[in-house]
Amino acid sequence: MILPLTAHEPAPLAGVAALALAYAALAARPGPRRWSRWRTASFVTGCALLALALAVPIGTGFPAHMAQHLLIGMLAPTALVLGAPMTLVLRSLPPPYARRVTAVLRRGPVRVLGHPVTALLLSTGGMAALYCTPLYRLSQTGMLPHHLLHLHFLLAGYLFAWSVAGPDPAPRRPSVPFRLVVLGVAVAVHAGLAQLMYAGLLVDVPAPPGELRAAAELMYYGGDLAELLLALALVTTWRPVKQPELTKSELVN
């Protein structure tokens, strides 16, 4: 049975506030190089988007859920990732501890988890499972499954944004063209699922047709916006390898 969840709990909001304050405190610490204000602004923006999503009262309709999904799973993670929090933590740690953290990031499980294809499967696969199986109904039966759903959105979205365009250290990150292809697949999956939802096909969501269509439009256009921002973040870091110019003798030969 789906319970009428109509309120939010303050604990997640307090956690977001604590996260923003901790980041700001580390960024303000004196050091040989001043921490980027742009990075700080990006991370704080991500926290603000996350807080906005969590402040939306639960049970206000399926379009509101979709707006939360976009904020928690796509827009907020992109802004958080571009804040480079791991780099900030590493530079704030004593060198021995920073080396230990870096060593953990190079281990096999992290390589698998941080690969763009793995992140793609966790992000888009989880979304398809949510809307095409009874999982969405289950998430509406209590506060715990609802918060677990939000946690999955956030972690999967953060992992995907980090694996595609994150400035933080990553183990053996694939080439930029490869990551652009992965991002293109994510765009196609989101668009396809939004179209199915708009038509009311293959989705298991107990919502009126009008709400389904409104949520589908949010997913379609809002998802495009989030992925466009991620693509821009990726291409701005692309430094194509320049081929050496041929000499006259090489051209003749």
Side-chain angles (χ1 to χ4, degrees), residues 200-227:
L201 299 174
L202 302 179
V203 293
D204 187 9
V205 176
E211 289 193 7
L212 280 178
R213 289 192 291 269
E217 290 178 348
L218 274 175
M219 177 188 287
Y220 190 89
Y221 295 109
D224 281 353
L225 173 62
E227 285 150 348

Side-chain angles (χ1 to χ4, degrees), residues 101-198:
V101 174
T102 303
V104 171
L105 293 175
R106 293 173 179 170
R107 291 180 180 175
V110 179
R111 291 179 183 177
V112 174
L113 191 62
H115 195 278
V117 173
T118 305
L120 173 69
L121 292 175
L122 290 173
S123 177
T124 59
M127 182 179 60
L130 176 65
Y131 298 128
C132 298
T133 72
L135 188 58
Y136 176 79
R137 296 174 183 268
L138 176 63
S139 72
Q140 302 300 300
T141 58
M143 295 301 296
L144 178 60
H146 193 82
H147 288 322
L148 289 176
L149 174 63
H150 283 173
L151 182 62
H152 170 78
F153 278 165
L154 178 61
L155 295 180
Y158 188 96
L159 183 65
F160 184 71
W162 171 62
S163 67
V164 170
D168 278 331
R172 295 185 182 180
R173 181 168 283 162
S175 66
V176 170
F178 180 88
R179 284 178 277 160
L180 283 173
V181 170
V182 172
L183 185 56
V185 173
V187 172
V189 172
H190 286 153
L193 186 57
Q195 291 170 352
L196 288 174
M197 185 177 294
Y198 191 90

